[in-house]
Amino acid sequence: MRLWKMEFYKITARPMLNLGFLLLVGFFLLVFWQEADGTRTEIDGKVYQGLEAVKKDRELAKEYEGIFTMKKAEEIVERFGFSGYVGNEKEEFRKVREGNFCSRFVTDKMTDFLQTGERPPGFSKGEAWENYGKRYVEENISFGYTQGWESLQKVWYMAMMSLHIWLVLMVAPVFSEEYSRNVTGVLLSTTLGKSRGIFRKIEAAMGFGILAYVLLCVLLFGITVVIYGGDGLWASAGMNSIFLMFSGRGNWSIAFFFLLLFLLGMAAVLLNVGITLFVSSKCKGPVSAVTVGVLLYLLPFGLNQILFDLLLDMGVAGSQLGWRLMDVIRMFCFSMPMYLSHPDIFYLPLRWARYIPLIVVGVMIGCILRGYKNYREYEGI
């Protein structure tokens, strides 16, 4: 345990990077606060602003909690009307949504408002109703106040990206810093140093990654609950995303959705730390380890956003082999830390669920074992 504590201290003893973590948390606190402070709601002819608007929206949403039906939708429209914009519609930056959480939900999900930007005369009709609006009243969607969880979902990926890059900066020196200081030979001169000492470094890095991740998650969830309350945890996740409805996962509760997101985020952190340890074992200095680590973290973005689109434009998807190649590329990308904790992972084909965990576990174990071997066999050449 003493050896583990020493290795853990070496990772955490970077004041400027620790300050960066605190600034990161402060930034997300500011984002949440500004969004809540800018909330505007109208209920029965009275306008509320800021945190008072959040409170009134929560109280109003409780009146319609439970399975959402056409009757509830019609009651909301009859009481509040459809939601439009306040002010000059030609000046985009001055647009402010009118209405309240309930009327905006009905307007956004069951009319063509998001396509036209104009107050709708009624519910969607024809194909638009069959594909979108109808789903919310015929698929047992549970209604609740989900504004806070929607805000959390918006900042989640940005928070995870920031955390992963910060972890690369913190973990990359684990092996590479000792190479640069020429102390590796001394540390590996004993049997203990060649076995338990290396494992303690790996365990300390993994433990540090988990601790930082859990701490950030607790802070994000805590901020959400303090500002928006814990309402809506058992509402349907499909309230926040039509894509979840299309993928057949719209009936998941918000709580279950974030539980899966949390577990995927944990796996992404462990994988990121494992890859960074491998990079650290191959690089002779912390600067090169950090550079390569960050580039490897960003690599899936290039493959998914650039190479995938390039292959699509080239017509590769026209053949069965080409389509499978593109499937493999995207599957690999969503198995890496950058996308593994992205909410879009729930929109992927269900058949991919059997392969992604295998890729994650295989890459993580392979990187850790290879990193262990590289450091153990290092000869300072």
Side-chain angles (χ1 to χ4, degrees):
M1 179 59 78
R2 202 183 102 195
L3 188 56
W4 184 89
K5 288 181 179 178
M6 183 180 71
E7 296 297 339
F8 188 85
Y9 174 77
K10 285 165 64 177
I11 295 173
T12 58
R14 296 183 174 91
M16 293 304 296
L17 290 177
N18 292 334
L19 177 61
F21 183 82
L22 296 178
L23 292 175
L24 181 68
V25 172
F27 171 74
F28 290 116
L29 174 61
L30 181 62
V31 170
F32 273 100
W33 180 263
Q34 284 190 327
E35 184 164 348
D37 193 53
T39 302
R40 178 186 185 277
T41 192
E42 300 174 25
I43 300 177
D44 298 328
K46 191 171 182 179
V47 177
Y48 302 91
Q49 302 280 355
L51 295 182
E52 187 181 14
V54 171
K55 179 182 177 182
K56 293 298 180 181
D57 269 339
R58 291 173 58 191
E59 294 172 354
L60 178 64
K62 285 184 180 295
E63 298 179 24
Y64 300 97
E65 279 184 348
I67 300 300
F68 195 69
T69 62
M70 193 64 197
K71 182 181 178 181
K72 285 185 178 180
E74 290 171 344
E75 287 176 357
I76 291 172
V77 173
E78 183 179 355
R79 181 178 173 184
F80 305 110
F82 290 109
S83 171
Y85 285 117
V86 178
N88 189 347
E89 294 192 1
K90 294 182 180 179
E91 299 183 29
E92 299 259 343
F93 64 94
R94 292 187 180 178
K95 284 185 179 181
V96 177
R97 282 297 295 275
E98 63 180 2
N100 51 62
F101 174 79
C102 297
S103 65
R104 285 192 289 265
F105 172 78
V106 173
T107 303
D108 292 351
K109 308 300 184 183
M110 304 176 72
T111 74
D112 61 357
F113 173 77
L114 296 180
Q115 286 73 45
T116 65
E118 299 177 357
R119 187 195 308 277
F123 293 102
S124 298
K125 296 179 181 179
E127 187 177 342
W129 173 257
E130 293 295 323
N131 292 335
Y132 297 95
K134 183 179 178 181
R135 294 175 179 269
Y136 287 94
V137 294
E138 293 191 2
E139 296 189 11
N140 293 322
I141 294 299
S142 182
F143 183 83
Y145 182 71
T146 59
Q147 185 61 54
W149 307 118
E150 186 175 353
S151 299
L152 176 58
Q153 189 174 330
K154 287 178 183 177
V155 304
W156 176 270
Y157 184 54
M158 183 167 53
M160 291 303 107
M161 273 193 67
S162 303
L163 176 67
H164 281 301
I165 292 175
W166 181 77
L167 283 174
V168 171
L169 297 176
M170 296 293 282
V171 175
V174 168
F175 296 132
S176 59
E177 191 172 49
E178 294 182 356
Y179 295 159
S180 65
R181 292 180 176 178
N182 296 318
V183 297
T184 312
V186 176
L187 295 173
L188 296 177
S189 60
T190 65
T191 304
L192 180 65
K194 283 191 172 183
S195 56
R196 192 183 302 173
I198 305 176
F199 280 120
R200 293 298 173 267
K201 291 179 185 294
I202 295 171
E203 290 168 1
M206 290 290 182
F208 173 75
I210 292 173
L211 180 63
Y213 172 69
V214 171
L215 180 59
L216 181 60
C217 287
V218 169
L219 290 170
L220 289 177
F221 276 85
I223 292 168
T224 304
V225 172
V226 167
I227 295 177
Y228 292 97
D231 307 18
L233 266 178
W234 305 111
S236 296
M239 284 190 62
N240 288 347
S241 173
I242 186 63
F243 297 109
L244 281 175
M245 302 289 288
F246 286 139
S247 63
R249 297 157 186 143
N251 288 329
W252 286 356
S253 68
I254 294 285
F256 183 68
F257 173 82
F258 275 108
L259 174 62
L260 290 181
L261 206 56
F262 172 80
L263 295 176
L264 287 169
M266 179 78 76
V269 165
L270 293 175
L271 178 59
N272 187 35
V273 171
I275 293 173
T276 304
L277 286 173
F278 167 72
V279 171
S280 181
S281 73
K282 295 291 289 183
C283 296
K284 300 300 187 289
V287 175
S288 58
V290 167
T291 303
V292 175
V294 172
L295 289 176
L296 282 178
Y297 173 74
L298 297 175
L299 176 63
F301 179 82
L303 294 176
N304 188 52
Q305 298 295 326
I306 301 175
L307 180 61
F308 187 85
D309 289 344
L310 181 62
L311 292 175
L312 200 62
D313 293 338
M314 291 170 60
V316 174
S319 67
Q320 188 175 10
L321 181 62
W323 185 256
R324 287 184 178 177
L325 172 64
M326 294 173 72
D327 259 6
V328 170
I329 291 174
R330 293 210 76 193
M331 198 183 304
F332 172 79
C333 290
F334 276 89
S335 301
M336 294 296 103
M338 169 160 259
Y339 287 108
L340 189 57
S341 56
H342 195 294
D344 283 0
I345 197 170
F346 298 121
Y347 313 149
L348 299 178
L350 194 58
R351 67 181 184 276
W352 290 13
R354 72 186 75 170
Y355 301 113
I356 289 178
L358 295 177
I359 297 173
V360 171
V361 173
V363 172
M364 180 171 64
I365 292 177
C367 285
I368 291 173
L369 292 179
R370 191 67 240 182
Y372 169 84
K373 188 174 181 181
N374 289 341
Y375 183 75
R376 192 174 190 273
E377 295 177 354
Y378 180 76
E379 296 180 355
I381 298 175

mmCIF file of all heavy atoms in Angstrom, residues 299-318 322-323 325-327 329-330 333-334 339:
data_model
loop_
_atom_site.group_PDB
_atom_site.id
_atom_site.type_symbol
_atom_site.label_atom_id
_atom_site.label_comp_id
_atom_site.label_asym_id
_atom_site.label_seq_id
_atom_site.Cartn_x
_atom_site.Cartn_y
_atom_site.Cartn_z
ATOM 1 N N LEU A 299 -7.542 10.697 -32.714
ATOM 2 C CA LEU A 299 -7.533 9.923 -33.957
ATOM 3 C C LEU A 299 -8.921 9.431 -34.384
ATOM 4 O O LEU A 299 -9.278 9.556 -35.568
ATOM 5 C CB LEU A 299 -6.564 8.738 -33.831
ATOM 6 C CG LEU A 299 -6.515 7.783 -35.026
ATOM 7 C CD1 LEU A 299 -6.011 8.526 -36.271
ATOM 8 C CD2 LEU A 299 -5.632 6.576 -34.716
ATOM 9 N N PRO A 300 -9.735 8.867 -33.483
ATOM 10 C CA PRO A 300 -11.071 8.402 -33.902
ATOM 11 C C PRO A 300 -11.937 9.506 -34.496
ATOM 12 O O PRO A 300 -12.777 9.240 -35.356
ATOM 13 C CB PRO A 300 -11.682 7.862 -32.597
ATOM 14 C CG PRO A 300 -10.512 7.479 -31.771
ATOM 15 C CD PRO A 300 -9.464 8.500 -32.086
ATOM 16 N N PHE A 301 -11.733 10.743 -34.058
ATOM 17 C CA PHE A 301 -12.495 11.857 -34.624
ATOM 18 C C PHE A 301 -12.168 12.016 -36.109
ATOM 19 O O PHE A 301 -13.058 12.195 -36.947
ATOM 20 C CB PHE A 301 -12.180 13.153 -33.878
ATOM 21 C CG PHE A 301 -12.908 14.351 -34.414
ATOM 22 C CD1 PHE A 301 -14.207 14.617 -34.036
ATOM 23 C CD2 PHE A 301 -12.283 15.211 -35.321
ATOM 24 C CE1 PHE A 301 -14.889 15.720 -34.542
ATOM 25 C CE2 PHE A 301 -12.954 16.312 -35.841
ATOM 26 C CZ PHE A 301 -14.259 16.566 -35.448
ATOM 27 N N GLY A 302 -10.874 11.937 -36.431
ATOM 28 C CA GLY A 302 -10.461 12.034 -37.820
ATOM 29 C C GLY A 302 -11.001 10.886 -38.658
ATOM 30 O O GLY A 302 -11.453 11.086 -39.791
ATOM 31 N N LEU A 303 -10.972 9.684 -38.095
ATOM 32 C CA LEU A 303 -11.476 8.524 -38.825
ATOM 33 C C LEU A 303 -12.976 8.617 -39.048
ATOM 34 O O LEU A 303 -13.481 8.320 -40.136
ATOM 35 C CB LEU A 303 -11.153 7.237 -38.052
ATOM 36 C CG LEU A 303 -9.676 6.868 -37.923
ATOM 37 C CD1 LEU A 303 -9.515 5.634 -37.049
ATOM 38 C CD2 LEU A 303 -9.064 6.616 -39.300
ATOM 39 N N ASN A 304 -13.706 9.037 -38.017
ATOM 40 C CA ASN A 304 -15.171 9.059 -38.081
ATOM 41 C C ASN A 304 -15.700 10.246 -38.878
ATOM 42 O O ASN A 304 -16.668 10.112 -39.636
ATOM 43 C CB ASN A 304 -15.748 9.082 -36.666
ATOM 44 C CG ASN A 304 -17.249 8.912 -36.646
ATOM 45 O OD1 ASN A 304 -17.791 7.973 -37.236
ATOM 46 N ND2 ASN A 304 -17.944 9.820 -35.992
ATOM 47 N N GLN A 305 -15.084 11.407 -38.706
ATOM 48 C CA GLN A 305 -15.607 12.617 -39.330
ATOM 49 C C GLN A 305 -15.003 12.910 -40.707
ATOM 50 O O GLN A 305 -15.653 13.546 -41.536
ATOM 51 C CB GLN A 305 -15.340 13.825 -38.410
ATOM 52 C CG GLN A 305 -16.014 13.728 -37.063
ATOM 53 C CD GLN A 305 -17.532 13.742 -37.163
ATOM 54 O OE1 GLN A 305 -18.098 14.395 -38.026
ATOM 55 N NE2 GLN A 305 -18.198 13.033 -36.267
ATOM 56 N N ILE A 306 -13.779 12.449 -40.937
ATOM 57 C CA ILE A 306 -13.110 12.777 -42.203
ATOM 58 C C ILE A 306 -13.030 11.557 -43.118
ATOM 59 O O ILE A 306 -13.551 11.565 -44.237
ATOM 60 C CB ILE A 306 -11.707 13.344 -41.936
ATOM 61 C CG1 ILE A 306 -11.809 14.610 -41.064
ATOM 62 C CG2 ILE A 306 -10.988 13.644 -43.252
ATOM 63 C CD1 ILE A 306 -10.473 15.174 -40.638
ATOM 64 N N LEU A 307 -12.377 10.494 -42.633
ATOM 65 C CA LEU A 307 -12.200 9.300 -43.476
ATOM 66 C C LEU A 307 -13.541 8.669 -43.829
ATOM 67 O O LEU A 307 -13.760 8.279 -44.985
ATOM 68 C CB LEU A 307 -11.307 8.281 -42.750
ATOM 69 C CG LEU A 307 -11.043 6.981 -43.519
ATOM 70 C CD1 LEU A 307 -10.335 7.287 -44.842
ATOM 71 C CD2 LEU A 307 -10.212 6.020 -42.675
ATOM 72 N N PHE A 308 -14.440 8.567 -42.858
ATOM 73 C CA PHE A 308 -15.750 7.948 -43.123
ATOM 74 C C PHE A 308 -16.513 8.713 -44.204
ATOM 75 O O PHE A 308 -17.054 8.120 -45.141
ATOM 76 C CB PHE A 308 -16.569 7.900 -41.825
ATOM 77 C CG PHE A 308 -17.853 7.129 -41.941
ATOM 78 C CD1 PHE A 308 -17.879 5.753 -41.765
ATOM 79 C CD2 PHE A 308 -19.041 7.780 -42.241
ATOM 80 C CE1 PHE A 308 -19.060 5.041 -41.883
ATOM 81 C CE2 PHE A 308 -20.229 7.078 -42.363
ATOM 82 C CZ PHE A 308 -20.239 5.697 -42.183
ATOM 83 N N ASP A 309 -16.550 10.050 -44.080
ATOM 84 C CA ASP A 309 -17.244 10.871 -45.081
ATOM 85 C C ASP A 309 -16.562 10.788 -46.439
ATOM 86 O O ASP A 309 -17.220 10.812 -47.483
ATOM 87 C CB ASP A 309 -17.314 12.328 -44.613
ATOM 88 C CG ASP A 309 -18.277 12.522 -43.455
ATOM 89 O OD1 ASP A 309 -19.098 11.611 -43.219
ATOM 90 O OD2 ASP A 309 -18.207 13.570 -42.791
ATOM 91 N N LEU A 310 -15.226 10.702 -46.426
ATOM 92 C CA LEU A 310 -14.473 10.589 -47.669
ATOM 93 C C LEU A 310 -14.815 9.287 -48.396
ATOM 94 O O LEU A 310 -15.052 9.281 -49.615
ATOM 95 C CB LEU A 310 -12.966 10.649 -47.373
ATOM 96 C CG LEU A 310 -12.026 10.579 -48.591
ATOM 97 C CD1 LEU A 310 -12.262 11.773 -49.507
ATOM 98 C CD2 LEU A 310 -10.578 10.533 -48.125
ATOM 99 N N LEU A 311 -14.857 8.194 -47.649
ATOM 100 C CA LEU A 311 -15.216 6.902 -48.241
ATOM 101 C C LEU A 311 -16.647 6.919 -48.757
ATOM 102 O O LEU A 311 -16.958 6.326 -49.798
ATOM 103 C CB LEU A 311 -15.043 5.788 -47.205
ATOM 104 C CG LEU A 311 -13.608 5.486 -46.772
ATOM 105 C CD1 LEU A 311 -13.592 4.446 -45.657
ATOM 106 C CD2 LEU A 311 -12.780 4.988 -47.958
ATOM 107 N N LEU A 312 -17.518 7.614 -48.025
ATOM 108 C CA LEU A 312 -18.924 7.731 -48.436
ATOM 109 C C LEU A 312 -19.024 8.483 -49.763
ATOM 110 O O LEU A 312 -19.756 8.064 -50.671
ATOM 111 C CB LEU A 312 -19.720 8.448 -47.345
ATOM 112 C CG LEU A 312 -21.240 8.264 -47.349
ATOM 113 C CD1 LEU A 312 -21.610 6.803 -47.153
ATOM 114 C CD2 LEU A 312 -21.868 9.113 -46.249
ATOM 115 N N ASP A 313 -18.281 9.579 -49.885
ATOM 116 C CA ASP A 313 -18.295 10.360 -51.127
ATOM 117 C C ASP A 313 -17.690 9.592 -52.303
ATOM 118 O O ASP A 313 -18.066 9.815 -53.462
ATOM 119 C CB ASP A 313 -17.524 11.678 -50.932
ATOM 120 C CG ASP A 313 -18.220 12.617 -49.963
ATOM 121 O OD1 ASP A 313 -19.437 12.462 -49.772
ATOM 122 O OD2 ASP A 313 -17.536 13.494 -49.394
ATOM 123 N N MET A 314 -16.762 8.688 -52.003
ATOM 124 C CA MET A 314 -16.120 7.885 -53.051
ATOM 125 C C MET A 314 -17.002 6.739 -53.515
ATOM 126 O O MET A 314 -16.650 6.026 -54.459
ATOM 127 C CB MET A 314 -14.779 7.348 -52.537
ATOM 128 C CG MET A 314 -13.714 8.422 -52.329
ATOM 129 S SD MET A 314 -12.268 7.769 -51.453
ATOM 130 C CE MET A 314 -11.729 6.478 -52.587
ATOM 131 N N GLY A 315 -18.139 6.541 -52.837
ATOM 132 C CA GLY A 315 -19.053 5.474 -53.238
ATOM 133 C C GLY A 315 -18.679 4.106 -52.722
ATOM 134 O O GLY A 315 -19.176 3.089 -53.226
ATOM 135 N N VAL A 316 -17.789 4.067 -51.717
ATOM 136 C CA VAL A 316 -17.360 2.779 -51.161
ATOM 137 C C VAL A 316 -18.542 2.008 -50.577
ATOM 138 O O VAL A 316 -18.577 0.770 -50.614
ATOM 139 C CB VAL A 316 -16.280 2.996 -50.074
ATOM 140 C CG1 VAL A 316 -15.916 1.689 -49.383
ATOM 141 C CG2 VAL A 316 -15.037 3.617 -50.703
ATOM 142 N N ALA A 317 -19.536 2.749 -50.051
ATOM 143 C CA ALA A 317 -20.693 2.100 -49.436
ATOM 144 C C ALA A 317 -21.553 1.353 -50.455
ATOM 145 O O ALA A 317 -22.448 0.601 -50.078
ATOM 146 C CB ALA A 317 -21.554 3.135 -48.706
ATOM 147 N N GLY A 318 -21.270 1.545 -51.754
ATOM 148 C CA GLY A 318 -22.069 0.892 -52.789
ATOM 149 C C GLY A 318 -21.884 -0.610 -52.838
ATOM 150 O O GLY A 318 -22.769 -1.333 -53.294
ATOM 151 N N GLY A 322 -17.363 -2.805 -49.055
ATOM 152 C CA GLY A 322 -17.106 -1.421 -48.659
ATOM 153 C C GLY A 322 -17.969 -0.999 -47.489
ATOM 154 O O GLY A 322 -17.501 -0.301 -46.578
ATOM 155 N N TRP A 323 -19.227 -1.414 -47.496
ATOM 156 C CA TRP A 323 -20.127 -1.077 -46.386
ATOM 157 C C TRP A 323 -19.640 -1.702 -45.087
ATOM 158 O O TRP A 323 -19.692 -1.089 -44.024
ATOM 159 C CB TRP A 323 -21.532 -1.546 -46.721
ATOM 160 C CG TRP A 323 -22.544 -1.150 -45.695
ATOM 161 C CD1 TRP A 323 -23.124 -1.941 -44.746
ATOM 162 C CD2 TRP A 323 -23.075 0.172 -45.477
ATOM 163 N NE1 TRP A 323 -23.979 -1.209 -43.965
ATOM 164 C CE2 TRP A 323 -23.975 0.075 -44.383
ATOM 165 C CE3 TRP A 323 -22.878 1.410 -46.096
ATOM 166 C CZ2 TRP A 323 -24.673 1.193 -43.914
ATOM 167 C CZ3 TRP A 323 -23.572 2.509 -45.622
ATOM 168 C CH2 TRP A 323 -24.452 2.392 -44.553
ATOM 169 N N LEU A 325 -16.548 -2.461 -44.407
ATOM 170 C CA LEU A 325 -15.335 -1.723 -44.009
ATOM 171 C C LEU A 325 -15.709 -0.456 -43.252
ATOM 172 O O LEU A 325 -15.105 -0.135 -42.220
ATOM 173 C CB LEU A 325 -14.520 -1.373 -45.254
ATOM 174 C CG LEU A 325 -13.315 -0.446 -45.026
ATOM 175 C CD1 LEU A 325 -12.281 -1.123 -44.126
ATOM 176 C CD2 LEU A 325 -12.681 -0.048 -46.365
ATOM 177 N N MET A 326 -16.706 0.254 -43.736
ATOM 178 C CA MET A 326 -17.144 1.483 -43.079
ATOM 179 C C MET A 326 -17.763 1.172 -41.724
ATOM 180 O O MET A 326 -17.611 1.937 -40.767
ATOM 181 C CB MET A 326 -18.128 2.227 -43.976
ATOM 182 C CG MET A 326 -17.481 2.752 -45.258
ATOM 183 S SD MET A 326 -18.644 3.465 -46.421
ATOM 184 C CE MET A 326 -19.080 4.982 -45.575
ATOM 185 N N ASP A 327 -18.458 0.044 -41.634
ATOM 186 C CA ASP A 327 -19.013 -0.396 -40.345
ATOM 187 C C ASP A 327 -17.893 -0.648 -39.339
ATOM 188 O O ASP A 327 -17.988 -0.259 -38.165
ATOM 189 C CB ASP A 327 -19.831 -1.675 -40.531
ATOM 190 C CG ASP A 327 -21.329 -1.396 -40.553
ATOM 191 O OD1 ASP A 327 -21.702 -0.208 -40.541
ATOM 192 O OD2 ASP A 327 -22.120 -2.353 -40.585
ATOM 193 N N ILE A 329 -14.879 0.643 -39.343
ATOM 194 C CA ILE A 329 -14.251 1.917 -38.968
ATOM 195 C C ILE A 329 -15.056 2.604 -37.867
ATOM 196 O O ILE A 329 -14.508 3.034 -36.853
ATOM 197 C CB ILE A 329 -14.137 2.846 -40.196
ATOM 198 C CG1 ILE A 329 -13.105 2.292 -41.176
ATOM 199 C CG2 ILE A 329 -13.731 4.259 -39.764
ATOM 200 C CD1 ILE A 329 -13.036 3.056 -42.485
ATOM 201 N N ARG A 330 -16.373 2.693 -38.062
ATOM 202 C CA ARG A 330 -17.211 3.364 -37.059
ATOM 203 C C ARG A 330 -17.257 2.567 -35.755
ATOM 204 O O ARG A 330 -17.272 3.140 -34.671
ATOM 205 C CB ARG A 330 -18.627 3.550 -37.597
ATOM 206 C CG ARG A 330 -18.712 4.522 -38.757
ATOM 207 C CD ARG A 330 -20.035 5.216 -38.796
ATOM 208 N NE ARG A 330 -20.129 6.250 -37.783
ATOM 209 C CZ ARG A 330 -21.274 6.834 -37.445
ATOM 210 N NH1 ARG A 330 -22.398 6.477 -38.033
ATOM 211 N NH2 ARG A 330 -21.297 7.772 -36.520
ATOM 212 N N CYS A 333 -14.136 3.336 -33.956
ATOM 213 C CA CYS A 333 -14.158 4.698 -33.415
ATOM 214 C C CYS A 333 -14.990 4.771 -32.138
ATOM 215 O O CYS A 333 -14.583 5.402 -31.151
ATOM 216 C CB CYS A 333 -14.718 5.673 -34.446
ATOM 217 S SG CYS A 333 -13.622 5.952 -35.852
ATOM 218 N N PHE A 334 -16.152 4.134 -32.128
ATOM 219 C CA PHE A 334 -17.025 4.186 -30.961
ATOM 220 C C PHE A 334 -16.570 3.240 -29.844
ATOM 221 O O PHE A 334 -17.190 3.192 -28.783
ATOM 222 C CB PHE A 334 -18.471 3.880 -31.359
ATOM 223 C CG PHE A 334 -19.202 5.090 -31.874
ATOM 224 C CD1 PHE A 334 -19.173 5.418 -33.218
ATOM 225 C CD2 PHE A 334 -19.899 5.917 -31.004
ATOM 226 C CE1 PHE A 334 -19.823 6.550 -33.694
ATOM 227 C CE2 PHE A 334 -20.550 7.055 -31.460
ATOM 228 C CZ PHE A 334 -20.513 7.374 -32.821
ATOM 229 N N TYR A 339 -15.334 8.455 -28.223
ATOM 230 C CA TYR A 339 -16.754 8.244 -28.528
ATOM 231 C C TYR A 339 -17.452 7.278 -27.578
ATOM 232 O O TYR A 339 -18.677 7.199 -27.576
ATOM 233 C CB TYR A 339 -16.911 7.730 -29.957
ATOM 234 C CG TYR A 339 -16.662 8.769 -31.016
ATOM 235 C CD1 TYR A 339 -15.519 8.730 -31.801
ATOM 236 C CD2 TYR A 339 -17.573 9.801 -31.231
ATOM 237 C CE1 TYR A 339 -15.283 9.690 -32.781
ATOM 238 C CE2 TYR A 339 -17.348 10.763 -32.196
ATOM 239 C CZ TYR A 339 -16.206 10.705 -32.972
ATOM 240 O OH TYR A 339 -15.978 11.659 -33.932
#
